[in-house]
Amino acid sequence: MPNRATPDFRELIKSMLKEGLFLDPPLIGIEWERFSGEAFALLESSADDLQHRYVHLEEIRRYFPQELITSAITYGTIYEFLTSTSTYLAHTRMGNLVVDLEIAQEAVSRLDWFMQRHSYLKLFYLYYLISNYHNLQVVNFYKRVSVMDFIYGVLHRPWVSHTLEEELSYLISCNYLRLVHETSGSVLEITNQGQEAFLRLSQHLRFSGYLGKRIQLLSISHYDALDPMDRLHLQTLPTAVSDRQKLLDYAGIEQGMRVLEVGAGSGLLTIEAGLAQRVGDTGSITAIDASVLMVEALRKRISKASIQNVEVLQTDVHALPFNNDSFDAAIGFGFLQFTDFRVALQEMKRVTRPGGKIAIVGPVSSDLNVPFFSEWFEPMVPMVSYVKSVGGLTDVPKEMELEQYFLHSGLKFTKTVSVNSPWMFEVPEDVIHFMLQGVSYFREVLIELPWKARTDLLQTLTARGVEACKKYTSAERRLDLSGELVIGTVQKN
């Protein structure tokens, strides 16, 4: 760790996220062909310019080991922040999967502003600790990693613009990693001290919101168009529309109501299930989603269908931009597992009038001990064990547990209804594609794996799916997903 007093890492991560910066090239899916020539040239020249303006090596060496502070590493810090932030902006802010000149300029502007306010020293501190997370994670996961694979980032950081000799030397000097010489070559192992450091970093990244953002971005970064996702959703969950209609029935949605729809996606509840039609011309719907791509897709569908009573916004359910008592009801289907349950419910309660309804459908624990599933997803078992060992995975609520969330949030509990849906496993590529974006449990496992392990797992699961589809009939490749529709009434003093 740095050898003098350093900033609060969690607070610095929160500042980074608040100011629209990100650092995680492999997760966001940096593919150089998605950068326009102008954008690419701007990012390279801007990295040089920002390094010249803000980096003072002697000052940084007062806080960090000298071997870590080279011109290549300080340039790499700025360059990786620029490329990561550009792709982050493209995916989450501007609804565009291509990094054009405008997006690149915005990334440069944000990074420049961050260093003006916080200094390059704090930027490097972020880079240093997030890089340490990746460096320790790969050895902790594989147990033994060849020195050459580590130095060139083959398993965990193939995107870096420099080799990792200096970082490796530092980690060995800190007794986080140890060098083991074998006849076949030198390998690295993680020490007990290194495991403790890795777990501390994981906790910092989790509680600061960084890992949660990575989970969100993992789904966004793996699709190019939303029309196929609508098809995959209905193909995989054939009762998706009727299940959502059941939510509207039990929530008592009627003509003239003002309804907040959370996690609207591309519109299955709004359009196919008939929410817009139910509230009618005298009612209104505010449909929100965290993904700008989903928001843009829903806006286009609403415009094409000439629906007049729906407003679509990109916003976060944890901090709703609405006044108290703005709605007659707040509803959502299958979004709660992607949120902080307590905060989301409190916000939905705040913006719903006294006597109004909160109605949510969420998953509960299902029996996955089915032959085809066990065979297909057997490689996930050790991955799940590993992720649990490092403190990852949010448990799926048990039966009746969602009720407790409602009661603890101060809502008057009204009713819980079981919602059991068939989950079909047809085309392996489609199944994995859908699970990557739609199943929080799957994403939470992937997010804790090094880059190469994550890539290999997806390929392995797709190949095993091909074999499972040959061995089992379509009827045998079905799971019954358990869910609960929970309804509460808002009470306010």
Side-chain angles (χ1 to χ4, degrees), residues 95 106 108 139 203 247 289 386 397:
E106 176 67 16
V108 172
V139 187
Q203 290 173 349
L247 168 63
D289 200 279
Y386 168 77

Side-chain angles (χ1 to χ4, degrees), residues 58-232:
E58 293 308 314
E59 176 186 358
I60 303 168
R61 284 172 179 152
R62 281 185 273 161
Y63 294 88
F64 290 89
Q66 184 163 339
E67 64 268 24
L68 287 179
I69 311 304
T70 67
S71 180
I73 290 178
T74 56
Y75 174 87
T77 302
I78 295 171
Y79 187 68
E80 286 184 40
F81 264 105
L82 287 176
T83 51
S84 287
T85 299
S86 295
T87 316
Y88 169 62
L89 289 171
H91 287 340
T92 64
R93 295 288 189 272
M94 301 183 182
N96 186 351
L97 293 177
V98 176
V99 176
D100 58 21
L101 183 60
E102 179 183 359
I103 292 174
Q105 288 170 334
E106 176 67 16
V108 172
S109 176
R110 291 188 182 200
L111 190 60
D112 191 349
W113 175 241
F114 184 90
M115 285 193 284
Q116 285 184 44
R117 293 188 62 193
H118 300 284
S119 80
Y120 173 81
L121 182 64
K122 291 185 178 179
L123 187 80
F124 184 79
Y125 184 55
L126 284 168
Y127 178 84
Y128 161 84
L129 289 173
I130 293 173
S131 296
N132 273 355
Y133 169 80
H134 287 296
N135 288 336
L136 295 174
Q137 178 193 56
V138 69
V139 187
N140 189 58
F141 177 81
Y142 285 109
K143 306 305 180 188
R144 296 163 71 83
V145 174
S146 83
V147 170
M148 296 308 293
D149 281 350
F150 185 97
I151 287 174
Y152 290 100
V154 172
L155 302 176
H156 66 306
R157 294 172 64 193
W159 60 89
V160 294
S161 59
H162 57 277
T163 58
L164 305 178
E165 290 107 322
E166 291 86 359
E167 294 179 42
L168 174 57
S169 296
Y170 173 68
L171 292 171
I172 291 173
S173 71
C174 291
N175 194 33
Y176 291 162
L177 298 179
R178 60 171 162 261
L179 193 60
V180 179
H181 298 290
E182 299 181 339
T183 55
S184 58
S186 299
V187 297
L188 299 168
E189 295 178 347
I190 194 165
T191 65
N192 290 337
Q193 193 170 331
Q195 286 181 321
E196 292 172 1
F198 171 64
L199 291 175
R200 283 197 303 272
L201 286 172
S202 296
Q203 290 173 349
H204 285 315
L205 293 172
R206 184 169 290 108
F207 292 121
S208 67
Y210 177 84
L211 291 183
K213 180 63 71 175
R214 292 182 83 215
I215 291 172
Q216 179 187 11
L217 290 174
L218 181 61
S219 65
I220 296 173
S221 67
H222 282 80
Y223 60 82
D224 296 326
L226 288 170
D227 288 343
M229 276 308 298
D230 291 335
R231 174 183 60 78
L232 291 181

Side-chain angles (χ1 to χ4, degrees), residues 9-11 13-14 17 129-130 133 137 140 197-215 340 383-384 386-395 443-449:
F9 182 39
R10 294 188 191 183
E11 291 305 313
I13 284 280
K14 290 177 182 178
L17 297 177
L129 289 173
I130 293 173
Y133 169 80
Q137 178 193 56
N140 189 58
F198 171 64
L199 291 175
R200 283 197 303 272
L201 286 172
S202 296
Q203 290 173 349
H204 285 315
L205 293 172
R206 184 169 290 108
F207 292 121
S208 67
Y210 177 84
L211 291 183
K213 180 63 71 175
R214 292 182 83 215
I215 291 172
D340 181 321
M383 304 298 185
V384 169
Y386 168 77
V387 172
K388 287 183 176 178
S389 75
V390 298
L393 286 182
T394 302
D395 290 334
R443 289 189 286 174
E444 284 190 73
V445 172
L446 289 176
I447 210 67
E448 298 283 1
L449 303 180

